[in-house]
Amino acid sequence: MIEFFFDCSSPWTYLAFHNIQPLAKEFGAEISWRPILVGGIFNSTNPSVYASRETPVPAKARYMKKDLADWARSADLEIRMPPRVFPVNSVKAMRGCIWLGKDMVPFARAVFEAYWGNDLDISMDAVLHDICQRVGVDPDKFFAAIVQQAVKDRLRANTDEVIARGGYGSPTIYIDKTDMYFGNDRLPLIREALQRRRAGAASAGSAA
């Protein structure tokens, strides 16, 4: 089992969201998609993110843009950094992911593409309305659902859970509940973890 805690407002999460799917398929691993609000994590456990945005290190900021562009090219994704609205309020989109449940992946992908690829403000109802129509989600049902208290509570609970389990940003990824990885660049380590699990299962099977 791979648990993928994510917020569509992060470009590195977009990369990991894209890259982890073929990796999971290769190893026959199920992904449990867990929408969160990364701002809630920053407020609670990682406020240094805000300080670094206010007073960035110029050399580090320049390299970050290159690094992101390199990763985007490697994944064949369009990522514009920074978008016109940054950071963006992603709460409505992430509530939508909660409501959609197991059917959230096409919607989440479209939200990532709209924000990072097309530079659209995903906090706007008109943008989310168009995304819903594009992926076959009824917009009226979507907007009615995302104001429901149960949906709000589930998103908050996911965010609180990842904090309690040691997460400090998006994406936070777990293998078998306890083995935590943070960020797109940890996917090679996730691959190794899945390989170890596969080898262990094979050894156990041969011993039996």
Side-chain angles (χ1 to χ4, degrees), residues 74-94:
S74 176
D76 196 26
L77 294 178
E78 179 74 21
I79 296 181
R80 303 181 186 186
M81 184 66 188
R84 287 174 294 173
V85 178
F86 182 79
V88 71
N89 185 336
S90 61
V91 64
K92 292 179 181 179
M94 302 319 296

Side-chain angles (χ1 to χ4, degrees), residues 3-7 13 32-36 158-159 161-162 165 169-174:
E3 293 173 279
F4 190 91
F5 288 83
F6 74 102
D7 187 324
T13 304
S32 174
W33 301 104
R34 306 292 300 279
I36 58 171
N158 281 356
T159 305
E161 179 183 339
V162 75
R165 292 170 65 180
S170 173
T172 300
I173 305 162
Y174 296 90

Side-chain angles (χ1 to χ4, degrees), residues 59-75:
K60 184 177 181 180
R62 286 193 298 271
Y63 178 74
M64 188 276 289
K65 289 187 70 172
K66 175 194 180 299
D67 193 32
L68 184 60
D70 288 344
W71 278 107
R73 183 170 53 252
S74 176

Side-chain angles (χ1 to χ4, degrees), residues 18-195:
H18 174 83
N19 289 329
I20 202 168
Q21 293 185 61
L23 178 60
K25 184 177 181 180
E26 177 185 345
F27 285 89
E30 180 183 353
I31 300 175
S32 174
W33 301 104
R34 306 292 300 279
I36 58 171
L37 285 179
V38 74
I41 297 177
F42 294 160
N43 291 337
S44 177
T45 65
N46 193 11
S48 64
V49 170
Y50 299 130
S52 67
R53 287 176 182 170
E54 291 175 4
T55 56
V57 177
K60 184 177 181 180
R62 286 193 298 271
Y63 178 74
M64 188 276 289
K65 289 187 70 172
K66 175 194 180 299
D67 193 32
L68 184 60
D70 288 344
W71 278 107
R73 183 170 53 252
S74 176
D76 196 26
L77 294 178
E78 179 74 21
I79 296 181
R80 303 181 186 186
M81 184 66 188
R84 287 174 294 173
V85 178
F86 182 79
V88 71
N89 185 336
S90 61
V91 64
K92 292 179 181 179
M94 302 319 296
R95 286 178 186 169
C97 289
I98 290 286
W99 172 63
L100 287 165
K102 292 182 178 180
D103 299 323
M104 77 176 73
V105 171
F107 173 78
R109 181 184 298 112
V111 171
F112 277 121
E113 290 173 352
Y115 184 48
W116 294 108
N118 299 321
D119 201 10
L120 299 176
D121 183 354
I122 57 170
S123 72
M124 302 296 291
D125 286 358
V127 172
L128 292 172
H129 185 282
D130 289 347
I131 290 171
C132 285
Q133 289 189 319
R134 195 180 320 138
V135 298
V137 172
D138 185 319
D140 292 334
K141 291 181 179 179
F142 174 90
F143 287 108
I146 63 174
V147 297
Q148 295 175 3
Q149 193 61 46
V151 170
K152 296 178 182 179
D153 290 347
R154 184 68 261 164
L155 183 59
R156 186 177 300 110
N158 281 356
T159 305
D160 290 344
E161 179 183 339
V162 75
I163 292 170
R165 292 170 65 180
Y168 56 90
S170 173
T172 300
I173 305 162
Y174 296 90
I175 307 295
D176 294 336
K177 296 293 186 181
T178 58
D179 191 13
M180 187 181 92
Y181 299 88
F182 174 68
N184 172 71
D185 56 351
R186 300 309 192 274
L187 288 183
L189 299 180
I190 292 173
R191 172 180 289 278
E192 291 180 5
L194 294 173
Q195 288 173 333

